[in-house]
Amino acid sequence: MPKRQLKEYNQRERPKFLTNYKNPCYLGRRMTNNESLVEGRALHCLPYFIVAGFPKSGTTDLWARLFNHAEIHIKHGKEPRFFNIGRFTAPFERVMVQYIRMFARSTIELQTLVAPLDCGHEFPYHHGITGEATVDASFDIKDWRQVPGNENCSEPAFTNADVAYHLNPNMKIIFVVRNPVDRAYSDYIYEARFLRYPTNPQLFHAAVIDAMRNHTDCWRHHHSVRACAYNNTIESMKVRLRVGMYHIFIQDWIDVFSSDNILVIKAEDTMGPPKIADVYNRIFSFLSVRPFTRMEEMEVFQRGPVNVRSKHERNIGEMLPETRKMLESFYRPFNEALRKLIPEIDYNAI
């Protein structure tokens, strides 16, 4: 358990969570009419879990499947971006109100779901959970130098993990990682939908060379690899090499929450048989909810993936073989560091 505490939260007391709710819920002041009231006060709930990373690693598929679990109540959209962006946009109390409001409909369902009398808990015991998914929360801190304690630092002393811990020290954190080479190319094609830059394998190759040069220049100027990984000014949205430096960001969350609160899964294992059922059983065990029934597995796993490439994007083709070799070489030390942190994940062995 971390001994440090964010200076900006020293005067903010953590809510006292109700013992008859599995999810972190508490009684607080009313904020809107769309609330569940208990004894004249409003019931508010924070996330039991967060899918904190990583983009273009199958997190939208994961989110859609969690949505179908009877004990997981999600009545809000993916990517609220509270931890990496939202908390910097207004005074903390104001953005917290907005964040809590996001869970209002889920909170009503959590109050409704009650475990049977013989479940071993006090009655009524509300055994449902809710969560959120902000995949950039793992690595992106919009204005980390604004956080008290990070002033005059070359890299963040306090990260999004510290904020999440302050809200709920028992929060469960899920990371989905993907071969960083494939992730980078998928990200390049996906972001073009919004940024409207032209895409083809040759242009991707040129962008990779520029991104690699920027990172090596950053390292040569006596900055640590971690400092450069948190520096979003050294690369464009076309090629975000830093996202694939998974071990740096996962280690920061482990340092705050401990490894017991962290689950890292491979995107490649969630794409279909034979491993998909085992992976989701691991996720549900981690979240302490029941596994899918056989009928639920058939219904949920037989659905096609979501957020896939369009026909136009598929026609762009694969990256050049020389680009892949270049990226494999770049990521080799990062993959090795990830393997040491999470031994069952070895992208250098592919």
Side-chain angles (χ1 to χ4, degrees):
M1 183 177 296
K3 302 299 182 183
R4 63 189 186 180
Q5 185 177 11
L6 282 165
K7 292 180 181 179
E8 63 176 319
Y9 300 141
N10 281 344
Q11 303 303 317
R12 298 187 177 105
E13 185 177 350
R14 182 182 297 120
K16 184 177 181 180
F17 298 133
L18 300 171
T19 58
N20 63 325
Y21 279 80
K22 177 179 176 180
N23 198 86
C25 298
Y26 64 97
L27 297 178
R29 63 183 178 86
R30 297 189 63 176
M31 293 183 288
T32 71
N33 292 327
N34 185 25
E35 291 175 326
S36 180
L37 299 181
V38 178
E39 298 177 355
R41 304 181 72 191
L43 180 69
H44 303 307
C45 294
L46 292 169
Y48 179 88
F49 70 90
I50 177 174
V51 181
F54 287 87
K56 302 315 297 175
S57 297
T59 57
T60 303
D61 281 338
L62 170 61
W63 183 248
R65 288 163 179 157
L66 294 178
F67 188 89
N68 286 276
H69 194 286
E71 295 176 17
I72 301 175
H73 295 268
I74 299 171
K75 296 296 180 182
H76 47 273
K78 187 170 175 275
E79 309 291 348
R81 296 184 173 89
F82 166 77
F83 291 104
N84 59 314
I85 295 177
R87 65 188 174 97
F88 296 104
T89 60
F92 183 79
E93 287 78 8
R94 188 185 307 170
V95 295
M96 269 305 300
V97 167
Q98 296 170 353
Y99 188 58
I100 293 170
R101 280 176 179 166
M102 184 184 76
F103 299 101
R105 292 175 62 202
S106 299
T107 297
I108 292 173
E109 289 202 354
L110 292 177
Q111 187 183 25
T112 303
L113 185 67
V114 179
L117 274 169
D118 60 352
C119 71
H121 296 280
E122 61 182 297
F123 186 83
Y125 183 74
H126 305 267
H127 61 291
I129 61 173
T130 190
E132 66 122 305
T134 298
V135 295
D136 287 3
S138 52
F139 67 91
D140 180 50
I141 313 174
K142 181 177 181 291
D143 293 310
W144 61 262
R145 289 180 178 83
Q146 292 184 17
V147 177
N150 283 340
E151 308 96 330
N152 304 316
C153 293
S154 60
E155 57 192 271
F158 296 97
T159 68
N160 296 330
D162 294 280
V163 181
Y165 183 88
H166 174 79
L167 296 183
N168 176 16
N170 295 314
M171 191 181 294
K172 300 288 189 175
I173 316 299
I174 299 174
F175 294 104
V176 189
V177 298
R178 179 185 181 185
N179 184 320
V181 176
D182 297 326
R183 195 221 67 82
Y185 192 54
S186 181
D187 201 33
Y188 165 76
I189 293 174
Y190 177 76
E191 292 295 339
R193 295 181 185 180
F194 312 100
L195 302 179
R196 302 296 183 185
Y197 51 76
T199 53
N200 64 49
Q202 292 76 22
L203 290 173
F204 178 66
H205 184 86
V208 167
I209 291 175
D210 287 342
M212 286 183 178
R213 183 183 301 116
N214 290 341
H215 275 278
T216 53
D217 286 346
C218 184
W219 302 336
R220 287 187 187 124
H221 283 85
H222 308 291
H223 296 298
S224 71
V225 174
R226 182 177 180 272
C228 297
Y230 275 107
N231 186 346
N232 62 4
T233 68
I234 65 174
E235 58 186 22
S236 71
M237 292 294 289
K238 288 184 180 180
V239 179
R240 298 188 291 176
L241 295 180
R242 67 194 185 101
V243 178
M245 303 174 186
Y246 302 129
H247 76 284
I248 292 174
F249 309 113
I250 294 172
Q251 184 65 66
D252 281 347
W253 287 73
I254 290 175
D255 288 344
V256 173
F257 278 94
S258 88
S259 58
D260 292 339
N261 287 70
I262 308 291
L263 177 66
V264 184
I265 60 175
K266 289 175 60 178
E268 292 83 358
D269 292 343
T270 68
M271 295 179 181
K275 294 184 178 181
I276 185 170
D278 290 340
V279 169
Y280 275 86
N281 284 337
R282 283 182 61 204
I283 294 171
F284 296 147
S285 175
F286 176 69
L287 297 177
S288 298
V289 297
R290 67 165 177 80
F292 276 145
T293 65
R294 184 59 60 89
M295 291 294 294
E296 288 170 335
E297 283 186 356
M298 292 176 61
E299 179 183 355
V300 174
F301 295 155
Q302 286 182 2
R303 296 173 186 169
V306 295
N307 201 19
V308 296
R309 293 183 191 177
S310 66
K311 181 178 179 181
H312 166 72
E313 291 168 338
R314 292 195 300 271
N315 288 337
I316 294 170
E318 299 301 320
M319 74 178 80
L320 301 174
E322 53 266 40
T323 312
R324 179 172 290 278
K325 289 181 180 179
M326 190 164 56
L327 284 169
E328 287 174 346
S329 177
F330 177 85
Y331 277 121
R332 189 165 292 116
F334 299 104
N335 290 342
E336 177 60 19
L338 178 65
R339 185 194 65 79
K340 290 180 179 178
L341 184 64
I342 314 291
E344 62 268 26
I345 300 178
D346 185 3
Y347 284 118
N348 284 338
I350 296 177

